[in-house]
Amino acid sequence: MCHGVIHRLLPGATIIDTTHAVEPYNVLQAAVILADATPYLPIGVHVAIVDPGVGTDRRAVAIACENENVYVGPDNGVLMLAANRDIVVSAFELPVPKEAGLGPTFAGRDVFAPVAARLATGVPPRRLGRSLEASTLAKLSVPVPTAEAGGLRVVVLSSDSFGTLQLGCTRNELLAIGTSERVQVSTAHGQGAATIARTFADVGCGELLVYEDSFQHLAVAVREGSAAALLGASAGDIVSLDPL
Amino acid sequence: MCHGVIHRLLPGATIIDTTHAVEPYNVLQAAVILADATPYLPIGVHVAIVDPGVGTDRRAVAIACENENVYVGPDNGVLMLAANRDIVVSAFELPVPKEAGLGPTFAGRDVFAPVAARLATGVPPRRLGRSLEASTLAKLSVPVPTAEAGGLRVVVLSSDSFGTLQLGCTRNELLAIGTSERVQVSTAHGQGAATIARTFADVGCGELLVYEDSFQHLAVAVREGSAAALLGASAGDIVSLDPL
Amino acid sequence: MCHGVIHRLLPGATIIDTTHAVEPYNVLQAAVILADATPYLPIGVHVAIVDPGVGTDRRAVAIACENENVYVGPDNGVLMLAANRDIVVSAFELPVPKEAGLGPTFAGRDVFAPVAARLATGVPPRRLGRSLEASTLAKLSVPVPTAEAGGLRVVVLSSDSFGTLQLGCTRNELLAIGTSERVQVSTAHGQGAATIARTFADVGCGELLVYEDSFQHLAVAVREGSAAALLGASAGDIVSLDPL
């Protein structure tokens, strides 16, 4: 329906659906995907809507960046990982319509899509909202690994349709604990020995691997299987990585 | 594949996928979504295919409306909630190809997409089918609430990916039974006390709310949870709403 | 993300997502869908990525056909059912970038989408890769029915979101064993008597049917139900079809 709203205001608009696979309410996952995806997308207007606070007094914002990307969405942190990488130059609070039936539960249709369409037609952001201080924009704290008993405790950022777990950790952080070829991976619900690999086919079918994913996050997968199922893990859970 | 068929006949066509999330065989849900979505879409050709009778002698139709919207699909009621809101001016029965391999199980590809593409290129509907009497078009009866013992019995129209239940009932119909802040929600498989709220964040996480959704239907949700799971309910089920 | 990469190289490109419903790692299903879908799509560049060997030394290829379709993807057989129908005229091995972070697990973004965009802008395939001998391209063996005790043993090619099973068998192959109206359908986990029908509504709700699907494959379905659930079957399983 957001596509429809945009095409009514800007017929023939080019619209790219970056993903519809964000887990419900996982603002951090959406923020990470947006930041990771934007370098591969054309410069343009980027709308991100994972918005558990829709209809409350959380602000609706547009954030203009040095490279001419503009980010549009709720001010709950979903935009700022991406926007900060692009260097924020100005930010605006968007008006939220108060008419009956508008806005309280579908801001994508009633607030963000119309603003995105107008920005894409060339209307400058300052014409669409009231200037606000960029330092007041909500930011998420991105989990970092913590060292414990020679190993690492890291957070699962997300789980995809293959059951691959993306971790809040880099390959270098893993290597720094003295691992080289194998690592023990444990959660509250399961565990296994994983090979530190470059790609899936470096291990046998059904075997665990830990690898650097295509966005330079560390990830845990089972080749042609599901690490989420094997480890009983999902977004927000803690995974322990211990040298073997 | 329908997109491909359209682009072969009309290269560069603008195609909007309104939804792919209709429950299998739920013609009423599709009819409600189509009627609710169309006001937010550009004027154009609207194809709706939830078609359990594909390959039978149910008619394939195109329905032209006063505002120049044209609806294309099976004559099973899926089109008429939307078409009637736009005021029907003429209707046509579409020919169904009889060649081997065409039509019996994929009318979207073989009948509806080609017609939609031709209409979008400007061919008038009367050139594509035989005129029929609009009064003979199939209509669905949309469930309305029934009063019982001071409460309401309403039908679940659909359940979405968040487990939110859309009801065949309006906010005013609920308020008319004397509720104001809380209402008891019951099905054959579960029940709970719900807050009558404006948006999700008006209740605590995991709590039930009843609210007017963004299409002016009454809906039942669990904040950051699933009302469908809590109440054991799906499309077609009866929900009781009783004053607390 | 692949859409983004393409639009950066070819702004306003027409991109059709043929399907995102291929089962994980089911290269044969993807190959069959690609071959079945292409005749309904515009002539163009067709990218298919079901790629369990991503990051290994399996080749990345572009295959040019007589009708000017070009197929792009991994050289694991996913392209060749389609390409052979269009008659292969030349084939090229694509360079795989070796920089850190590129390629090992997301060749769609890093190899195939950029090549597809360049081909779509008119760059000839020979400019994008090193010529290779078409006879060396990987081919899949497509399962064919085997006769046994008066019946047929056939392979399930795929199962769709309705639970319909597509079989490696044609209607004529079924009729050749002497069936006409009914056939016994059995797997290791379930069985039932099916009507040989033209379309779903030829049987009652909940009943099994065997029919020729819209791509001339034999298929097994339950009207408004799931044959996959009833028969406990999924891609790669063997189904027995015996005369009744």
Side-chain angles (χ1 to χ4, degrees), chain A residues 20-109:
Chain A
H20 288 287
V22 175
E23 298 166 32
Y25 324 114
N26 192 340
V27 177
L28 177 61
Q29 180 189 13
V32 170
I33 291 175
L34 184 67
D36 286 342
T38 304
Y40 298 97
L41 303 178
I43 294 293
V45 183
H46 304 274
V47 181
I49 313 170
V50 176
D51 192 13
V54 63
T56 65
D57 56 7
R58 69 97 186 84
R59 298 184 294 194
V61 296
I63 305 171
C65 293
E66 200 174 80
N67 60 2
E68 306 209 339
N69 273 328
V70 183
Y71 294 89
V72 173
D75 181 26
N76 64 7
V78 71
L79 306 175
M80 285 302 284
L81 290 184
N84 275 334
R85 287 194 194 172
D86 289 343
I87 307 175
V88 176
V89 294
S90 56
F92 303 87
E93 179 171 358
L94 304 171
V96 174
K98 298 294 184 199
E99 298 98 282
L102 283 182
T105 57
F106 197 174
R109 180 193 71 190

Side-chain angles (χ1 to χ4, degrees), chain B residues 1 3-5 7-8 12 24-25 52-56 100-102 104-106 109-110, chain C residues 14 16 18 36-37 39-42 162 198-201 211-216 224-225:
Chain B
M1 215 154 307
H3 283 227
V5 168
H7 279 292
R8 281 168 63 96
Y25 324 115
V54 62
T56 66
L102 282 183
T105 57
F106 197 175
R109 180 193 70 189
D110 298 331
Chain C
T14 294
I16 299 171
T18 303
D36 287 342
Y40 297 98
L41 302 178
F162 293 91
R198 191 174 149 278
T199 189
F200 311 108
Y211 67 102
E212 182 177 62
D213 76 9
S214 40
F215 302 97
Q216 286 80 58
E224 302 192 18

Side-chain angles (χ1 to χ4, degrees), chain B residues 97-168:
Chain B
K98 299 293 185 199
E99 299 97 282
L102 282 183
T105 57
F106 197 175
R109 180 193 70 189
D110 298 331
V111 179
F112 301 126
V115 162
R118 291 195 189 98
L119 290 168
T121 62
V123 176
R126 67 184 154 72
R127 296 275 301 281
L128 296 175
R130 187 173 59 76
S131 180
L132 61 79
E133 188 57 52
S135 63
T136 68
L137 290 164
K139 280 166 210 68
L140 299 172
S141 69
V142 181
V144 292
T146 58
E148 191 178 307
L152 291 177
R153 305 291 165 271
V154 304
V155 172
V156 176
L157 296 176
S158 61
S159 168
D160 71 13
S161 63
F162 292 90
T164 296
L165 303 171
Q166 191 180 56
L167 304 179

Side-chain angles (χ1 to χ4, degrees), chain C residues 50-145:
Chain C
V50 177
D51 192 11
V54 62
T56 66
D57 57 4
R58 68 98 185 87
R59 297 184 296 195
V61 296
I63 305 170
C65 293
E66 199 174 80
N67 60 4
E68 307 209 337
N69 273 328
V70 183
Y71 294 89
V72 174
D75 181 27
N76 63 6
V78 70
L79 306 174
M80 285 302 284
L81 290 184
N84 275 333
R85 288 195 193 171
D86 289 344
I87 308 175
V88 175
V89 294
S90 56
F92 303 87
E93 179 172 358
L94 304 172
V96 174
K98 298 292 184 200
E99 298 97 283
L102 283 181
T105 56
F106 197 175
R109 180 193 71 188
D110 298 330
V111 179
F112 302 127
V115 162
R118 290 195 189 98
L119 290 167
T121 63
V123 176
R126 66 182 154 73
R127 295 275 302 281
L128 297 174
R130 187 173 59 76
S131 180
L132 60 80
E133 189 54 53
S135 64
T136 68
L137 291 164
K139 281 166 210 68
L140 299 173
S141 68
V142 181
V144 293

